[in-house]
Amino acid sequence: QLQLVESGGRLVQAGESLRLSCVGSGRRFANYDAAWFRQAPGKERDFVAAHRWNGNIVYGESVKGRFTIARDNARNAVYLLMNSLEPEDTAIYYCAARDATFLSRTADEYRFWGQGTQVTVSS
């Protein structure tokens, strides 16, 4: 089993930047597609970004141009660099992984999940 642990979430002011980390263990994280999703209170879990094991990357429309997903295979980690944060970015952010033949934006298609890390952006 691949275990994922997120960290880095905290309270920030609008316009600030934040970096979330997700470290994998149990299996080689680099062999899996990795993604970030987020869920605000009372809302569905939304796609944020995904990084395929071969380097392909996709972003959700609401974060394109502000967020960057990056991997460090030597550290078995994936990161989410978030710039120009807005109050609408407030959510629990989840790291996810899957072993598949194409990149997916759908939460149900990811098998492995972390416990989430809270990001709160104040105006």
Side-chain angles (χ1 to χ4, degrees):
Q1 289 285 354
L2 176 65
Q3 289 87 39
L4 302 173
V5 178
E6 304 97 332
S7 62
R10 62 181 178 89
L11 172 64
V12 296
Q13 299 281 340
E16 291 185 346
S17 299
L18 197 60
R19 188 183 82 160
L20 304 182
S21 300
C22 173
V23 178
S25 63
R27 292 185 180 177
R28 189 167 182 267
F29 197 6
N31 292 341
Y32 293 80
D33 294 349
W36 288 95
F37 289 81
R38 66 186 182 184
Q39 188 165 19
K43 295 188 177 181
E44 294 186 351
R45 192 166 295 191
D46 288 336
F47 172 77
V48 175
H51 193 307
R52 187 143 167 76
W53 63 267
N54 64 1
N56 291 344
I57 294 173
V58 293
Y59 293 97
E61 288 301 316
S62 63
V63 306
K64 198 175 292 185
R66 298 188 299 124
F67 291 11
T68 301
I69 187 171
R71 303 186 78 147
D72 185 341
N73 292 332
R75 290 180 167 83
N76 232 26
V78 63
Y79 306 100
L80 185 67
L81 313 176
M82 305 185 292
N83 295 321
S84 302
L85 282 162
E86 305 166 351
E88 294 73 23
D89 296 317
T90 295
I92 299 176
Y93 283 71
Y94 296 92
C95 175
R98 77 185 211 129
D99 179 12
T101 57
F102 62 91
L103 208 53
S104 173
R105 301 169 181 253
T106 304
D108 289 345
E109 294 181 348
Y110 283 80
R111 178 181 175 188
F112 304 103
W113 289 86
Q115 81 291 348
T117 186
Q118 176 71 49
V119 173
T120 303
V121 184
S122 64
S123 57

